[in-house]
Amino acid sequence: MKSFSNFENPEKIYSTYQRFLVSKQRFVKNDSQKYVGGVPLMYDKATETLVVDPYDTHTLVYGATGSLKSRSVVMPTMKVLGIAGESMIINDSKGELYSKLAAELQTNGFNIIVINLREPALGNAWNPLYIPYKFYKQGNIDKAAEFANDVANNLVKGETSSSDPFWDYSAADLLFGLIMLLFKYAKEHSVSETSVNIGNIIELRRILFSGQKKAKDSILWKYASEDELISASLSGSVFAPNDTMNSILSVFDQKMRSFTIQPTLLDMLANNDIDIAKIGTEKTAVFLITPDEKTTYHMLVSLFIKQSYEYLIYTATLNKLNRVENRINYILDEFSSLPAINDMPAMISAARSRDIRFLLIVQSKHQLKKRYKEEADTIISNCSNWIFLTSRELELLRELSELCGEKANRTPNISVYDLQHLSKSANEAIVLCGRMKPAFVTLLDIDKFGGKKKESLGIERYSREKRSRLDFELKEDIKDKYKPINPFGSDGRMLNPFEMPSSQSIEAVKPGSNGSSVIDIDEMIKKIDQKPGWTVFLFRIFIFTAAENGISFIRQGENHVKLD
C-alpha cells in the first residue's frame, strides 16, 4: 500500500471511529453511541472491518464520472445504515440504488417509499401542496404561506437567469399568489383535497389571465384581492402593463411546461399516500428516482428535499428533545446537478442538532460553485468529512494538495500529480475526517460486502384517485357581492342620490309612534355593506345632505334613529 509522509496513520482512524465487521454483518458493540451507522471512512482488509463515522457530521465526496462513487461510498453507506436502522432520503438518478438495495432494506424492516419521476405511474404519490394546504385548513396561514413559498421558489427560482432575474422572481410571486388563491377557493368552496394540485394551479392561471376581460376587471380577481397576501403577490402581474404581464406569464408557463407535457406526472402529484413525519419516527428509505439522461424533473427532487427537511424540522420541534426520533440521512448523489435548494447553507448548518445528516456527492467543486455561487463555501465548510476519489479539476487538486500540508523541505505531502493517479481498481481514496490529518485509505466495493444477495424489488403500481379539475366558478352569494350596481331604477330613470329614501325604497324605514319616520339604522347599514363602491358613496351623500338641511338623526332606543 502506498504511503505519504505526515499523513494520519490509518490505525488511529480504526481505533477512533465505529467499526463494522463485514464478514459477520454486524457492528462492534459501542455503548457510548446512540447511533452506530455512518459513511465508510476506510476498509481494513486484514480484519475485514469497515470503519464508519457514527457522529453527527456531514460528508462531501469528490469524484469524477466513473470513479466508483456509488459503488464504494453511496451503496456501502446505505447498507450500513440499513443494518443500523437509520432512515434515508436518497437521490437515485438512475434507479440503480433502488434496484440494488431496496429489497434488502425491506427485509431489514424498512418502509420503502418510491417517488418515481422516471415512470410516474409507478410507485408512491406525493403532492407538494398537501402539507401547506393542511396548514391552511387548520388556520395556520403563516406555516401554509411558508411552505407554499418554498414550492414557488424551488419550482421557479431554482434555475434563475443571472442576466435579468426580475422575470423569474415575478413568476415565483405569481405562482405563490396562485397557490394561496387555490387554497382560499378550495377551503371556502369545500372541494376535495385532490383538487388542490399543480394541474389546477395551471388552470387557475389560464382562467384569471386568459379571459375576455382583463384580469383586474374579473370577479375572480375581486374575490382574490380580499386577501391581502394573495393581492400583494398577484398585483405585480395583474396590474403590470400588457407587455410586462405577458413576459411574466411567458416565464411562468415555461417553468410549468414540464408538468403540462406529462399527464401521468400531474396525476401522481395530485395524490398523496406518504406521511413525511414518519420518516423521522420509523425506519424508512425514500428513493427519488429520476431520469439520468435529462434534468427536467430535478426541480421536484430539490423541492422534495427542501419540503421534507422543513417539515421534519417542524415535527422535531413538537417533541421535548427538539430532534427527530430516528436519525435521518440525506444521501444526495449528483448533488451539484440538482437545481439549487433554497436556503441549503442554513439547512446544512442547523441539521446536526436535529439528528439529520447530509452525504453530498459531487463531480467537481466548480460545478458546486456554479450552482450555489458564494453559498458553496458555506456548504463545503459545514462538511467535516471529505472523501476524494479522483478529479482532473486543477483548482480542486491544488486546494487538496495544500490542505494535506508540506514536508520540511516545503514540498507537498501529496502532489497534484499523485492525487490524479489514485488506483480505481484498489478503491484508493484520500480522506480528511474531523480534526485528524489527511489519510490515504482504501474503500470497499459493494460487491465485496458479503451478505445474502436479494432479488431486485419491483416498483408497485398503487391505486390513485382520479385527478380533480376545477372550473373556479364562484358561489352565487360571492358573485352577487361583486356584481356591478345598476344606477337606473325600474322605470329607466337614473336614481337621484339626493332623494331621501322612502318606506318603499328602503325597508329599514318604519313609522314611529307619533307619525315621524324612524329608521332601523343597523338594518340599513347591513344592507349598504352588502353593496360595494358607489352605493356607500350615495349613502354618505344622503347623510351629508340631510345634515346640511337641518335634518338630524335622534337615537330612539338601542337600534333606531328618528328623523326630525
Side-chain angles (χ1 to χ4, degrees):
M1 183 177 180
K2 298 176 188 175
S3 62
F4 297 93
S5 60
N6 297 323
F7 268 36
E8 193 68 79
N9 188 335
E11 289 289 335
K12 186 172 182 181
I13 298 177
Y14 186 91
S15 61
T16 302
Y17 289 92
Q18 177 66 51
R19 298 188 297 279
F20 179 81
L21 304 178
V22 176
S23 59
K24 298 180 179 179
Q25 295 289 291
R26 67 174 179 82
F27 293 95
V28 174
K29 189 175 181 181
N30 189 338
D31 296 329
S32 64
Q33 288 288 326
K34 178 182 177 181
Y35 299 110
V36 292
V39 177
L41 299 177
M42 63 167 285
Y43 175 64
D44 183 59
K45 187 175 181 179
T47 59
E48 296 185 315
T49 301
L50 194 68
V51 180
V52 302
D53 182 359
Y55 303 110
D56 57 352
T57 49
H58 306 306
T59 301
L60 178 63
V61 179
Y62 287 113
T65 301
S67 60
L68 303 180
K69 300 186 297 293
S70 296
R71 299 187 62 84
S72 59
V73 179
V74 177
M75 290 184 189
T77 297
M78 291 173 59
K79 197 171 181 75
V80 167
L81 292 175
I83 295 171
E86 297 183 30
S87 290
M88 295 169 259
I89 296 174
I90 308 140
N91 179 36
D92 188 0
S93 60
K94 302 174 185 174
E96 179 185 11
L97 304 178
Y98 177 87
S99 178
K100 193 85 173 177
L101 292 168
E104 182 177 331
L105 291 171
Q106 188 178 66
T107 302
N108 289 340
F110 274 71
N111 300 320
I112 304 297
I113 295 173
V114 183
I115 308 299
N116 192 350
L117 300 176
R118 178 182 284 276
E119 295 183 68
L122 301 178
N124 296 89
W126 163 60
N127 185 346
L129 301 180
Y130 175 79
I131 288 175
Y133 184 56
K134 183 169 71 171
F135 281 120
Y136 189 89
K137 286 206 304 180
Q138 293 170 353
N140 192 343
I141 306 301
D142 288 349
K143 274 293 175 187
E146 180 183 323
F147 278 85
N149 190 54
D150 286 338
V151 173
N153 285 339
N154 279 276
L155 292 186
V156 177
K157 289 165 57 179
E159 300 282 354
T160 302
S161 170
S162 57
S163 59
D164 194 355
F166 168 80
W167 307 109
D168 295 301
Y169 280 80
S170 297
D173 286 343
L174 173 59
L175 178 54
F176 173 73
L178 291 173
I179 292 172
M180 297 305 292
L181 177 54
L182 175 60
F183 290 174
K184 174 180 169 68
Y185 179 90
K187 183 177 180 181
E188 295 180 0
H189 290 75
S190 303
V191 301
S192 66
E193 287 189 351
T194 56
S195 299
V196 182
N197 58 60
I198 298 293
N200 279 325
I201 292 289
I202 297 170
E203 180 65 12
L204 181 56
R205 170 260 181 267
R206 186 189 67 79
I207 292 174
L208 183 59
F209 290 97
S210 301
Q212 293 181 348
K213 287 185 177 181
K214 291 184 177 180
K216 62 184 179 182
D217 298 325
S218 67
I219 290 180
L220 186 57
W221 166 246
K222 292 180 173 65
Y223 171 69
S225 60
E226 284 184 341
D227 186 299
E228 61 181 12
L229 184 59
I230 298 173
S231 178
S233 300
L234 293 179
S235 291
S237 300
V238 170
F239 292 105
N242 279 341
D243 289 346
T244 304
M245 181 182 70
N246 289 333
S247 295
I248 294 170
L249 294 176
S250 178
V251 172
F252 176 88
D253 292 343
Q254 185 270 326
K255 297 283 186 178
M256 306 302 286
R257 187 173 183 273
S258 56
F259 299 108
T260 60
I261 62 176
Q262 195 169 0
T264 55
L265 179 63
L266 282 177
D267 292 339
M268 186 272 279
L269 296 172
N271 287 267
N272 194 88
D273 59 17
I274 65 175
D275 184 353
I276 290 178
K278 287 186 177 180
I279 302 173
T281 59
E282 302 174 2
K283 295 192 297 184
T284 305
V286 181
F287 290 86
L288 306 171
I289 299 178
T290 56
D292 61 331
E293 70 275 7
K294 56 186 177 181
T295 62
T296 309
Y297 305 115
H298 282 183
M299 61 183 178
L300 287 170
V301 176
S302 294
L303 175 57
F304 186 90
I305 294 166
K306 173 65 173 175
Q307 186 175 95
S308 61
Y309 174 88
E310 294 291 347
Y311 193 66
L312 288 166
I313 292 292
Y314 168 76
T315 58
T317 60
L318 301 180
N319 62 51
K320 293 180 181 179
L321 296 176
N322 204 30
R323 58 182 62 207
V324 295
E325 295 177 27
N326 186 43
R327 186 160 67 182
I328 300 166
N329 299 266
Y330 282 87
I331 301 174
L332 306 182
D333 197 4
E334 302 296 341
F335 172 68
S336 53
S337 296
L338 298 174
I341 299 168
N342 196 39
D343 296 326
M344 184 64 194
M347 289 167 57
I348 201 169
S349 298
R352 293 172 55 190
S353 62
R354 308 298 172 86
D355 276 341
I356 297 175
R357 296 188 297 184
F358 284 90
L359 169 58
L360 308 179
I361 299 93
V362 301
Q363 291 189 20
S364 70
K365 185 175 181 179
H366 172 77
Q367 192 181 38
L368 183 61
K369 287 203 164 190
K370 183 178 178 182
R371 185 68 67 191
Y372 285 94
K373 300 179 174 60
E374 64 274 4
E375 292 182 338
D377 289 333
T378 305
I379 295 171
I380 293 169
S381 64
N382 272 282
C383 295
S384 300
N385 298 331
W386 288 17
I387 300 174
F388 174 80
L389 300 173
T390 187
S391 176
R392 287 287 188 269
E393 185 182 7
L394 190 56
E395 180 186 352
L396 174 62
L397 294 169
R398 285 172 175 166
E399 181 180 7
L400 283 168
S401 180
E402 289 179 14
L403 286 172
C404 291
E406 296 179 338
K407 301 173 187 175
N409 62 3
R410 306 303 297 272
T411 59
N413 288 326
I414 184 169
S415 68
V416 168
Y417 177 85
D418 290 329
L419 286 169
Q420 295 179 76
H421 294 88
L422 300 177
S423 173
K424 178 179 177 178
S425 59
N427 291 108
E428 292 177 349
I430 300 296
V431 171
L432 293 84
C433 52
R435 299 189 179 186
M436 292 187 178
K437 293 186 288 186
F440 173 73
V441 301
T442 57
L443 300 172
L444 182 66
D445 186 275
I446 187 64
D447 284 345
K448 299 177 182 178
F449 212 95
K452 293 182 179 179
K453 303 288 183 183
K454 299 287 182 181
E455 291 187 7
S456 179
L457 185 67
I459 302 176
E460 295 186 43
R461 183 187 295 270
Y462 297 97
S463 61
R464 295 171 182 167
E465 290 186 37
K466 186 177 180 181
R467 174 162 48 98
S468 300
R469 298 176 179 175
L470 300 176
D471 58 11
F472 294 99
E473 185 70 20
L474 298 174
K475 292 189 290 189
E476 288 301 321
D477 60 327
I478 294 177
K479 287 196 288 187
D480 288 343
K481 189 175 180 182
Y482 301 111
K483 280 182 179 177
I485 302 300
N486 183 5
F488 297 94
S490 57
D491 58 359
R493 292 189 303 115
M494 187 169 184
L495 297 175
N496 183 0
F498 298 100
E499 184 178 345
M500 295 298 291
S502 65
S503 57
Q504 288 77 25
S505 62
I506 297 184
E507 296 175 3
V509 180
K510 302 175 182 178
S513 58
N514 60 354
S516 61
S517 298
V518 177
I519 297 178
D520 184 338
I521 197 69
D522 287 344
E523 183 66 21
M524 176 182 286
I525 291 174
K526 181 180 177 182
K527 289 179 177 295
I528 289 170
D529 282 344
Q530 293 174 352
K531 305 293 184 180
W534 78 275
T535 308
V536 177
F537 173 69
L538 293 183
F539 177 71
R540 289 175 177 168
I541 292 177
F542 161 62
I543 297 297
F544 175 79
T545 306
E548 287 291 296
N549 288 278
I551 302 173
S552 59
F553 290 87
I554 303 173
R555 177 172 293 279
Q556 287 194 345
E558 184 64 26
N559 296 315
H560 297 81
V561 294
K562 176 183 176 183
L563 256 68
D564 278 352

